[in-house]
Amino acid sequence: MKLAEALTARADLQRRIEQLRARVTSNARYQEGEEPSEDASALLVEAQGALEQLRELIRRINATNSRLSLGADGTMTDALAARDVLRLHHSLLTDAAAAASGSHGLRQLRSELRQIAALPVAELRQRADAVARELRELDNRIQEANWTHDLEE
């Protein structure tokens, strides 16, 4: 199984567990004289099995990520951490540029004091574009590794 397939299986298991949680909670109580639509105990057993599968899958994904080398990007774990930080950095820069440009829909009346940008908007947007490009390139390398490397036992 490729790492990308394991990531898809993990997402599927997480969705299934969430659905089971909803079904358990909606059938945990029922009105006297009626039958619940599903057996909450059986659903809990099914959820426990799915949780055990998820635990094993996450363990294998994490083991693979910690050993998988992406060259200059370090291990897959290093690359994932870098990607998370790049996403935050991009968000910070774009939010700062938007706030400095006054593009939050505020209108200035003639009687109000003039608002001045405390940050260089054009420079912030250029930096945000550079970070976005770096993020896309790193994400492409991560995705390539996901599809070319097998999941470890």
Side-chain angles (χ1 to χ4, degrees), residues 34-126:
E34 293 184 11
E35 290 295 317
S37 57
E38 294 184 271
D39 181 355
S41 296
L43 291 171
L44 275 174
V45 170
E46 186 179 343
Q48 182 62 40
L51 287 165
E52 289 170 10
Q53 289 175 354
L54 180 62
R55 179 177 173 264
E56 178 60 19
L57 192 55
I58 290 172
R59 184 197 64 74
R60 292 178 63 197
I61 290 168
N62 289 345
T64 303
N65 286 346
S66 67
R67 291 184 189 98
L68 178 58
S69 175
L70 295 182
D73 295 315
T75 65
M76 177 66 85
T77 302
D78 297 334
L80 293 172
R83 184 178 67 180
D84 289 347
V85 170
L86 284 170
R87 284 179 178 155
L88 287 172
H89 190 190
H90 182 261
S91 177
L92 173 68
L93 291 171
T94 56
D95 288 352
S101 70
S103 62
H104 291 293
L106 299 176
R107 294 187 60 189
Q108 185 173 332
L109 301 175
R110 289 183 190 204
S111 61
E112 292 179 0
L113 293 175
R114 196 169 136 223
Q115 295 286 313
I116 300 171
L119 297 168
V121 176
E123 180 186 324
L124 287 172
R125 288 186 175 147
Q126 286 175 343

